[in-house]
Amino acid sequence: RKEREQRLAETKRQLQAVLAQVEATVGIKDVCGEYQYENKKARENLDVGVDEDITGLTDHDLLPADVAAQYRVDDRRVIEAGDTIEIEERVPTPGGTQINRTLKSPFYDADGELTGVCAVSTDITERKKREQRLSRLKTLMSKMEKLADVGAWEYDSKTGEAINTAGTKRIYGLEPEAELTIEEAFEFFHPADRDRLRNRFETCLETGESYEIDVRVVTANGEQKWVTAQGEQVKPQDNNPVIRGYI
C-alpha cells in the first residue's frame, strides 16, 4: 500500500510539473462549479498567484458576472450530457481579451462517478486576427477585381489543383462558388484560340517562359468576349512549378 501511495505521489508530481509548463490552460471544477485545480497558465489568466489557494472559489469570485454565467452554462451542458463539448470563447485576462478554443469534458473519480468538469483551453487570438485580416483582404481583392474586370488563377503542377478567384469565374459567366479545374477553364476559350493558349501555358510550365496573349472566351451563357490572358511561372519552396495568371 505504501509503495502504491509513493507511486501515486510521484505520478502526481510529474503530472503537475508537465501541466505547469504547457501553454494551454487546464482546470478542473466540481459539479457545483467550485475550483479544484488550475495549472500555472490558468492562474495567470485569472490573475491569481501560483501558491494562492482558490479551491472552493467559483467563476463568479474571479471573473466578470456575464463571463462567469456563460462558463456555468457551458459546464452544465457537459455535466447533463456527460459528453465533451468544443467552444470558442472570449476570455478577459490581465493582458487583455483573449480568444480561446476550449474543450470541456466530464471528469470522473476512481469509482466512475461524474464529479466535475475538466477544461483545456488554447489561445487562438493571433490565429483569429490573421483570419480576420485575410477575410478583409479577400473582400478588398474581390471588389478590386470587379471594378477592374480582372480575374486571377493559379495552377499547382504537383497536385494538379487549380485555384480561380471570383473575378475569373465572373468572366467565364460562373457563380463565385463554382469549382473549376484547369481543363474546365480551357474549355471556356474559343476553339480557334484554345490550342494556342494551351501551348503557351505548357511552354510556361516546362521552360518558365511567361506569356500574354489576346484570346476569345465563350461564357457559360454563350456570350463571346475578347480577353487578355497572362501566365507566369513561380517556384515555391518545394520547387514544383506553379503557374500564376490573370485574365
Side-chain angles (χ1 to χ4, degrees):
R1 190 193 70 189
K2 296 298 292 183
E3 288 176 352
R4 285 198 303 271
E5 290 174 354
Q6 290 172 353
R7 288 197 299 268
L8 182 61
E10 178 60 15
T11 299
K12 182 178 180 181
R13 186 195 66 78
Q14 292 172 344
L15 180 60
Q16 289 179 334
V18 171
L19 292 177
Q21 298 303 317
V22 297
E23 284 300 308
T25 66
V26 181
I28 298 173
K29 287 179 279 188
D30 66 17
V31 292
C32 297
E34 296 181 353
Y35 291 119
Q36 302 300 305
Y37 171 79
E38 298 292 317
N39 75 339
K40 180 181 177 182
K41 188 66 177 179
R43 286 172 171 270
E44 289 175 359
N45 284 354
L46 292 169
D47 198 22
V48 296
V50 175
D51 298 324
E52 187 176 344
D53 185 12
I54 60 174
T55 304
L57 297 182
T58 70
D59 292 321
H60 284 282
D61 295 314
L62 299 172
L63 295 166
D66 58 334
V67 176
Q70 184 59 54
Y71 280 12
R72 188 57 185 157
V73 169
D74 294 333
D75 290 347
R76 293 301 308 173
R77 285 171 56 198
V78 174
I79 294 169
E80 291 169 5
D83 201 4
T84 299
I85 64 172
E86 179 178 340
I87 52 179
E88 189 175 294
E89 53 190 4
R90 302 180 71 85
V91 181
T93 72
T97 300
Q98 179 175 296
I99 302 175
N100 282 352
R101 173 184 173 271
T102 300
L103 292 174
K104 289 194 172 185
S105 304
F107 190 77
Y108 299 92
D109 64 14
D111 297 322
E113 181 181 353
L114 196 156
T115 58
V117 175
C118 176
V120 180
S121 299
T122 306
D123 182 2
I124 59 170
T125 308
E126 289 305 314
R127 193 190 79 188
K128 296 299 291 185
K129 288 180 180 178
R130 289 195 299 271
E131 290 175 354
Q132 291 169 358
R133 287 195 295 267
L134 184 60
S135 178
R136 291 196 297 269
L137 180 60
K138 186 177 180 180
T139 300
L140 175 63
M141 291 297 294
S142 178
K143 291 181 178 180
M144 288 177 60
E145 280 190 339
K146 193 170 184 178
L147 287 170
D149 200 16
V150 66
W153 57 271
E154 187 175 276
Y155 172 74
D156 188 325
S157 64
K158 181 178 180 180
T159 65
E161 180 185 14
I163 300 173
N164 294 275
T165 65
T168 300
K169 297 170 189 176
R170 183 170 52 250
I171 290 172
Y172 293 149
L174 299 174
E175 294 296 323
E177 298 79 17
E179 297 293 333
L180 195 65
T181 67
I182 192 67
E183 289 302 322
E184 290 170 338
F186 275 121
E187 290 299 314
F188 282 101
F189 291 90
H190 194 284
D193 300 330
R194 191 179 301 148
D195 287 343
R196 184 161 58 97
L197 177 62
R198 190 190 297 271
N199 288 339
R200 295 296 299 272
F201 170 82
E202 292 176 351
T203 299
C204 181
L205 191 60
E206 293 172 5
T207 68
E209 181 182 346
S210 301
Y211 64 87
E212 179 177 336
I213 58 175
D214 292 338
V215 288
R216 286 163 290 181
V217 162
V218 181
T219 67
N221 58 12
E223 179 188 358
Q224 182 175 300
K225 61 177 74 173
W226 281 94
V227 301
T228 298
Q230 299 172 290
E232 62 180 359
Q233 186 185 117
V234 294
K235 288 191 175 181
Q237 290 183 347
D238 59 11
N239 212 35
N240 289 293
V242 168
I243 303 298
R244 186 175 296 158
Y246 307 90
I247 179 173

